[in-house]
Amino acid sequence: MAVQALEHVTIRCAQRQRTRDFYVEILGLSEGKRPDFPFRGHWLYLGGVPVIHLVEAADSGGAWGREIVLPGPDQATGALDHVAFQGDDFEAMRARLTEAGLTFRERIVPGGALKQLFVPDPEGVLVEINFKND
């Protein structure tokens, strides 16, 4: 028995609404149905799947279903480097990031099969967006 798929990534947010707006308005995810948890948050969907969960950093313990001390928003929870998405229009996304005043970098993967954009979200999570380089 092995895992079948990556379901979601959860980001603890000090700037929950700003982070939600980044994923919805810049990246194009949509906010959707979320269970009535006892802590604030958003579920952001891609292709009908809630792939990004945002939770309010100030709300303690609820995400774990029991009262425990969670690391603060300034403390690391591991060695996660970035989250990657597949994009469909490199030039349009680059223009959207520029118009939003966001700092980003771009790269062509060695061998030339992919173009990439890298942009940090408001919480500092690095987001990679990959585009086929036809």
Side-chain angles (χ1 to χ4, degrees):
M1 180 74 72
V3 297
Q4 303 297 309
L6 177 64
E7 280 198 0
H8 67 270
V9 174
T10 298
I11 302 168
R12 295 187 61 225
C13 301
Q15 305 174 73
R16 182 173 46 91
Q17 190 61 41
R18 187 170 168 219
T19 303
R20 177 240 174 247
D21 293 348
F22 169 84
Y23 284 97
V24 172
E25 295 172 10
I26 302 297
L27 296 188
L29 277 66
S30 59
E31 184 165 6
K33 187 173 168 79
R34 176 181 176 268
D36 189 20
F37 290 119
F39 52 90
R40 295 168 288 174
H42 305 278
W43 278 16
L44 307 178
Y45 286 69
L46 180 63
V49 178
V51 296
I52 300 288
H53 294 184
L54 304 178
V55 297
E56 179 66 45
D59 295 347
S60 65
W64 292 84
R66 58 191 182 279
E67 289 302 318
I68 62 170
V69 177
L70 297 176
D74 59 333
Q75 298 172 314
T77 59
L80 177 67
D81 184 73
H82 65 274
V83 175
F85 293 95
Q86 179 181 347
D88 65 357
D89 187 333
F90 180 85
E91 296 301 330
M93 182 57 74
R94 182 201 291 154
R96 183 180 289 175
L97 296 174
T98 299
E99 288 169 16
L102 296 170
T103 301
F104 64 93
R105 60 187 168 91
E106 52 188 89
R107 174 173 70 186
I108 296 178
V109 173
L114 290 176
K115 287 183 181 180
Q116 300 175 307
L117 294 170
F118 294 88
V119 58
D121 78 4
E123 300 298 334
V125 174
L126 185 61
V127 174
E128 170 185 318
I129 311 166
N130 293 306
F131 303 85
K132 290 181 183 174
N133 193 14
D134 298 324

